[in-house]
Amino acid sequence: MKAIRRLRTPTSGLAQYLEDVGDKTNWDEFRSHNSGASYHELREALTQNQHGICAYCEIAIRNQRRQVEHVIPQSDDRDGKKRTTDIANMVACCMGGTVQIDAEDRHRRPGRDNISCGQAKGGEKVVDFADPRTLPALPSVLRVIDDGQIEANKGNCKRTGFSADRVTSTIQILNLNTERLRLQREKRWIGLQEESLQFNDPDNPLLMETWIRHLLSTDENDRLNPLFTTTRSYFGELAETILEEESPKWI
């Protein structure tokens, strides 16, 4: 999970729906507004705002394998109902492990222990949850270690004044260390180890830095590489230096 921008302006379809219904908003009704086109427009805008990765686990989200997630759940008695159509309460999220990715990923089949992200958070009121839009951009308050586990970076939490306990609680709420996600991050870590061998040239130190900049930058479609925090953690301080120079392009 990384810092992301808050999308503050409603999309045209959402704005039109709000104008049409006034205070009588209903999320299910909005999803069918304009034959579903308004919802799809909103989902795409949130996805683009996040550079194509899930707000929580950072896997690539595209096509039908994504959804609009309410940070404050709709069922929350205090604020949920009145914020179901509030653009400031929405992020784009994966399907949380409820959709099998492909035939080779049989170990990732949907199951209670493998559910993550919005599906794991569910509709209950969440205490000590860190909205990714409130996370410090630099330095990262989360880190991935070589076995794919994600955890609070206590040193950086202390530096930024962000609660490490809150980060740990959020990881647990979203079930970000489910085996399905841990394996993907571990695979990414191993891949970076193997790829880095071809860029580690003592006679050309800029080769490695150029490669890292590429990995941490958006592509021609403004998309980031999936599992961004894994890559960021692997390269450590050098990654943080590069991201500071490139901020806020990757947020």
Side-chain angles (χ1 to χ4, degrees), residues 54-150:
C54 174
Y56 297 144
C57 72
E58 301 178 359
I59 68 168
I61 50 176
R62 55 178 65 91
N63 302 327
Q64 286 74 34
R65 293 173 182 157
R66 56 182 171 164
Q67 59 189 327
V68 175
E69 152 77 358
H70 292 88
V71 179
I72 299 175
Q74 298 181 65
S75 58
D76 180 81
D77 292 336
R78 180 179 176 182
D79 297 312
K81 291 293 183 183
K82 64 184 180 183
R83 298 199 64 185
T84 56
T85 53
D86 179 2
I87 191 69
N89 189 38
M90 301 176 193
V91 294
C93 191
C94 70
M95 300 303 291
T98 59
V99 177
Q100 187 173 332
I101 298 175
D102 54 51
E104 295 181 358
D105 293 326
R106 294 180 182 178
H107 60 278
R108 302 177 191 168
R109 283 178 180 170
R112 186 173 181 180
D113 292 340
N114 257 345
I115 299 303
S116 68
C117 303
Q119 264 70 18
K121 181 163 72 68
E124 300 300 319
K125 185 175 182 178
V126 178
V127 179
D128 289 333
F129 178 76
D131 181 340
R133 298 167 303 177
T134 67
L135 293 177
L138 292 158
S140 177
V141 294
L142 293 99
R143 68 178 177 188
V144 173
I145 56 179
D146 58 2
D147 68 351
Q149 293 281 332
I150 191 167

Side-chain angles (χ1 to χ4, degrees), residues 147-159:
D147 68 351
Q149 293 281 332
I150 191 167
E151 61 185 20
N153 187 321
K154 294 182 179 179
N156 286 348
C157 285
K158 186 175 182 179
R159 287 169 63 187

Side-chain angles (χ1 to χ4, degrees), residues 19-222:
E19 182 179 338
D20 291 345
V21 303
D23 294 333
K24 298 178 180 179
T25 60
N26 178 281
W27 179 247
D28 291 331
E29 182 182 77
F30 167 70
R31 290 197 59 172
S32 61
H33 180 253
N34 195 21
S35 301
S38 296
Y39 173 78
H40 293 306
E41 176 195 42
L42 172 64
R43 189 179 62 177
E44 180 62 25
L46 290 167
T47 301
Q48 290 181 356
N49 182 60
Q50 295 164 206
H51 305 294
I53 60 177
C54 174
Y56 297 144
C57 72
E58 301 178 359
I59 68 168
I61 50 176
R62 55 178 65 91
N63 302 327
Q64 286 74 34
R65 293 173 182 157
R66 56 182 171 164
Q67 59 189 327
V68 175
E69 152 77 358
H70 292 88
V71 179
I72 299 175
Q74 298 181 65
S75 58
D76 180 81
D77 292 336
R78 180 179 176 182
D79 297 312
K81 291 293 183 183
K82 64 184 180 183
R83 298 199 64 185
T84 56
T85 53
D86 179 2
I87 191 69
N89 189 38
M90 301 176 193
V91 294
C93 191
C94 70
M95 300 303 291
T98 59
V99 177
Q100 187 173 332
I101 298 175
D102 54 51
E104 295 181 358
D105 293 326
R106 294 180 182 178
H107 60 278
R108 302 177 191 168
R109 283 178 180 170
R112 186 173 181 180
D113 292 340
N114 257 345
I115 299 303
S116 68
C117 303
Q119 264 70 18
K121 181 163 72 68
E124 300 300 319
K125 185 175 182 178
V126 178
V127 179
D128 289 333
F129 178 76
D131 181 340
R133 298 167 303 177
T134 67
L135 293 177
L138 292 158
S140 177
V141 294
L142 293 99
R143 68 178 177 188
V144 173
I145 56 179
D146 58 2
D147 68 351
Q149 293 281 332
I150 191 167
E151 61 185 20
N153 187 321
K154 294 182 179 179
N156 286 348
C157 285
K158 186 175 182 179
R159 287 169 63 187
T160 60
F162 202 89
S163 169
D165 289 340
R166 189 176 175 198
V167 173
T168 299
S169 175
T170 301
I171 291 170
Q172 294 170 347
I173 290 166
L174 298 174
N175 199 23
L176 294 183
N177 276 321
T178 179
E179 190 71 353
R180 173 178 57 83
L181 294 175
R182 186 197 68 78
L183 285 170
Q184 291 185 63
R185 291 191 294 262
E186 182 182 40
K187 182 178 179 180
R188 177 63 173 160
W189 190 282
I190 293 171
L192 290 169
Q193 285 181 319
E194 295 173 347
E195 289 180 58
S196 64
L197 296 175
Q198 61 183 304
F199 295 98
N200 189 14
D201 184 354
D203 296 327
N204 186 6
L206 286 178
L207 187 64
M208 177 69 76
E209 182 178 333
T210 301
W211 176 55
I212 298 172
R213 286 183 182 277
H214 170 72
L215 293 175
L216 295 172
S217 300
T218 54
D219 63 15
E220 64 275 9
N221 296 313
D222 198 32

Side-chain angles (χ1 to χ4, degrees), residues 2-22:
K2 60 179 281 296
I4 61 175
R5 293 189 301 268
R6 190 183 301 271
L7 193 62
R8 299 183 182 278
T9 305
T11 53
S12 59
L14 176 58
Q16 184 61 57
Y17 169 76
L18 294 174
E19 182 179 338
D20 291 345
V21 303

